[in-house]
Every structure is written in C-alpha cells, then in structure tokens.
Amino acid sequence: MPRPLGDLEDAVMTRVWNWNRPVTVREVLEDLQQERSIAYTTVMTVLDNLHQKGWVRREAEGRAYRYEAVSTRAAYAAALMNEAWSQSDNQAAALVAFFGMMSPKQREALTDAVRMVQGPEASETAEPSEPPKTSETPESPDEAAGDAGR
C-alpha cells in the first residue's frame, strides 16, 4: 500500500501526472515557482525521494535526469481507497457511508465503472442506476451504515 504523498510530493507528482511525459527538475521547478518560493535542490530532492519510493523512474540525460510517472493518479487514488476500505471492521458499512458522501456526478462515475468491470453483457440486463425509493431504502447515509452492519 502506498503511503499518502506529502503536500510537496503531491504538487510535484501532479505535474508529472498532468504532463504525462518525462520531465526535468527545472521544468517542475519553474511551474512550482508560479505558486510558491522553492529551491531547485528541494525539487531535486523530492523527485529523488519519489524515485526511491517507486513513484517515478528516471533516465539520465546529460548531467540531469528526466523523470516519468510509474503509474497513474487514478491507480494511486485506487490504492489509497482500497487501503482505507480494507482497514474497516465493517466494509459494507464503510462503503455505504462512502457512497453517501458522493456527489451525483461521483455516483454516476461509480455506476459507469461498475458497468465497465461487469462487461457489456451485464449492461444489457442491468437495472436502472437509481432504483425507486421504498420503505426498505435507507433515507440517509447514517441509516444505511447502520443497516449494513446488521
């Protein structure tokens, strides 16, 4: 399980992920300096640490390195969610509470993701994504979390 990135590590990795190409310390530095005062050696140290932790690979180019992400931000987020979820003593309740925190757009993305994982044959027989409310349907995430533990 990946340890969550620190603030500066996240700021650096965000650029590496967004640019989706090998980057130099200088490129990251110049972009970061638009937001904060930061030294070249600090960015170099952060990228070196990210390399040692396995987040980026690097390739020598002259006297410098070019750094490239080993995996995507989506994979990082999934690993963090999986770790947090697996720590719960009631995984169903944790999921229900998590779903209750989601925006409609996030729930739609979740529905799309489930369809992708299940494959095309499952979508042909799938029920509507928003089932009608019944007396069995919890009114709030708290009620749902309580029901999930029963």
Side-chain angles (χ1 to χ4, degrees):
M1 159 59 200
R3 182 182 59 80
L5 297 172
D7 290 339
L8 189 52
E9 289 174 326
D10 185 67
V12 169
M13 282 305 300
T14 294
R15 282 148 180 87
V16 174
W17 281 319
N18 288 345
W19 294 336
N20 197 27
R21 61 174 174 76
V23 300
T24 64
V25 172
R26 175 81 44 210
E27 289 173 308
V28 175
L29 171 72
E30 289 173 358
D31 200 60
L32 281 171
Q33 284 178 331
Q34 295 176 30
E35 300 172 0
R36 61 178 92 188
S37 176
I38 190 165
Y40 181 93
T41 53
T42 301
V43 176
M44 184 174 62
T45 299
V46 169
L47 279 164
D48 185 59
N49 290 343
L50 289 166
H51 175 257
Q52 289 177 27
K53 292 177 181 181
W55 285 108
V56 295
R57 64 180 145 259
R58 66 185 180 193
E59 192 169 311
E61 184 175 282
R63 292 179 24 197
Y65 288 107
R66 283 204 174 265
Y67 295 86
E68 187 173 17
V70 170
S71 65
T72 64
R73 180 179 277 287
Y76 166 69
L80 291 177
M81 288 187 292
N82 185 57
E83 175 67 15
W85 181 50
S86 68
Q87 303 257 336
S88 174
D89 60 346
N90 186 335
Q91 293 182 340
L95 282 174
V96 170
F98 180 63
F99 296 157
M101 295 176 197
M102 291 178 154
S103 69
K105 187 175 181 176
Q106 289 170 320
R107 282 192 293 275
E108 185 178 323
L110 175 66
T111 301
D112 292 344
V114 168
R115 283 189 192 124
M116 287 190 295
V117 169
Q118 289 176 336
E121 61 280 348
S123 359
E124 294 170 7
T125 60
E127 297 179 23
S129 60
E130 289 285 332
K133 263 209 184 305
T134 67
S135 60
E136 299 294 316
T137 305
E139 294 296 318
S140 73
D142 291 334
E143 290 177 51
D147 290 345
R150 290 182 196 154

